[in-house]
Amino acid sequence: MIDLGNLPNHERDEVTKLFLRRHWISLVSLGFTGLALLCIPAFFYATMRFIGWNFIGAPTLGIIAGLLLSTYLLLVTVILMTQFTDYYLDTWIVTNCRIINIELQGLFSRTISELHLNQIQDVTSETIGMLPTFLSYGNVYIQTAGTRERFNFQNVDNPEDVKELIIELSDDDKRRHGDASSDRIV
Amino acid sequence: MELPVLYLLIPFGLVILLTTLFVMFNFFHIAHFGLQGTKTALVLVGYIAIYVCALMFVFQILSSFDWSQTIVLPDLFSFKIPLI
């Protein structure tokens, strides 16, 4: 398990400042998807009853329908659980020294990337749409020097505050360790 | 040609095995890579509880059928569905 007080490759005097996950609205959306998927068999059964087919009462077809329904319910449960795992394990940790991005890509692939705060060139926050504006969530993009892929915090709570804090921590780190965000060779 | 209905439980057993395996993978991932704390422990307990509930619900559905029947294949494909 990950211990915020003792992160992998823990540096001296390193303190965790932020622990981020996607906004809770992602969970609400997952809940609605689950509810919709669970309603499909009930809707199908109601339609069959409406047109006058009692396939549940048919000796063999009833059993096959029962098995198909059971298989469907188990698969939906597992898919929802996997989606929740993806939500729960996709995290961003901001310390006073670095940013750690932990991302689960499917069940068998996990990426952990790390970025030192003194490498940060630019931080951008973005809130697009009505719901993100009301609920105050959005994306934060962190650009580093050179061709390195930028860090994306997707759908995090209060992106403006996150951006401000990262800029502040980055400035502090550059003062302590020197600026490594420039491509220029001096 | 007649087949005992009970044979249909063999592929279903494989489905249960597969889903259990996936739930275990998810459980392992959260237990191994999750954040240390009560929240993660609660999530793990919730995982087990939800899956056990789903299994119990499924077993309840299946126990309502008469599994001593046999399938007569030509009858199965004649689609005689009783009307309400």
Side-chain angles (χ1 to χ4, degrees):
Chain A
M1 281 195 179
I2 295 175
D3 179 5
L4 282 182
N6 189 21
L7 292 166
N9 308 319
H10 187 79
E11 293 180 25
R12 222 166 53 131
D13 302 328
E14 186 173 22
V15 183
T16 303
K17 296 286 185 184
L18 265 182
F19 179 79
L20 298 165
R21 274 201 187 97
R22 272 177 274 152
H23 193 265
W24 54 262
I25 198 77
S26 312
L27 274 187
V28 174
S29 139
L30 182 65
F32 275 116
T33 310
L35 207 65
L37 286 172
L38 292 176
C39 282
I40 290 173
F43 178 74
F44 180 71
Y45 178 68
T47 312
M48 288 291 130
R49 295 279 295 187
F50 183 72
I51 59 172
W53 276 20
N54 179 21
F55 66 97
I56 295 286
T60 313
L61 271 182
I63 289 176
I64 292 173
L67 280 171
L68 286 177
L69 174 68
S70 303
T71 305
Y72 178 80
L73 289 179
L74 285 177
L75 288 179
V76 167
T77 308
V78 169
I79 288 169
L80 291 178
M81 280 179 159
T82 308
Q83 289 298 313
F84 179 79
T85 309
D86 191 49
Y87 163 82
Y88 196 73
L89 294 181
D90 278 359
T91 51
W92 298 279
I93 302 167
V94 181
T95 73
N96 58 338
C97 296
R98 58 193 167 142
I99 298 173
I100 303 166
N101 175 20
I102 304 170
E103 211 171 323
L104 193 73
Q105 291 158 331
L107 265 188
F108 307 100
S109 169
R110 190 163 173 266
T111 312
I112 302 177
S113 27
E114 210 176 291
L115 167 72
H116 218 279
L117 288 176
N118 66 349
Q119 292 175 313
I120 293 174
Q121 266 190 337
D122 178 48
V123 186
T124 312
S125 68
E126 177 188 80
T127 305
I128 299 173
M130 195 172 70
L131 202 61
T133 305
F134 283 133
L135 296 176
S136 175
Y137 71 93
N139 305 329
V140 177
Y141 303 107
I142 299 164
Q143 182 69 56
T144 57
T147 53
R148 277 192 69 167
E149 196 181 320
R150 65 180 184 175
F151 267 45
N152 296 347
F153 294 4
Q154 282 159 355
N155 296 333
V156 291
D157 208 5
N158 297 318
E160 275 292 319
D161 296 347
V162 173
K163 183 190 88 172
E164 293 300 327
L165 182 74
I166 292 173
I167 289 173
E168 198 180 299
L169 290 170
S170 170
D171 288 344
D172 283 349
D173 197 57
K174 280 172 187 171
R175 271 195 292 274
R176 277 185 288 139
H177 297 110
D179 191 349
S181 65
S182 174
D183 279 338
R184 287 170 297 173
I185 300 167
V186 183
Chain B
M1 190 185 168
E2 286 190 7
L3 275 175
V5 166
L6 217 59
Y7 281 15
L8 292 176
L9 287 178
I10 296 170
F12 185 67
L14 288 175
V15 170
I16 289 186
L17 193 76
L18 197 79
T19 52
T20 308
L21 214 66
F22 266 79
V23 169
M24 279 166 70
F25 268 126
N26 280 320
F27 188 90
F28 166 78
H29 269 101
I30 290 191
H32 199 254
F33 303 117
L35 198 66
Q36 206 171 42
T38 330
K39 211 172 175 182
T40 303
L42 282 174
V43 167
L44 291 174
V45 171
Y47 255 53
I48 299 292
I50 288 171
Y51 189 60
V52 167
C53 282
L55 279 181
M56 278 167 62
F57 184 64
V58 159
F59 287 140
Q60 205 171 0
I61 293 173
L62 296 181
S63 63
S64 62
F65 296 111
D66 175 16
W67 291 94
S68 60
Q69 297 176 54
T70 51
I71 307 172
V72 183
L73 286 180
D75 281 1
L76 181 66
F77 296 109
S78 64
F79 291 108
K80 286 178 196 160
I81 298 169
L83 293 174
I84 297 161

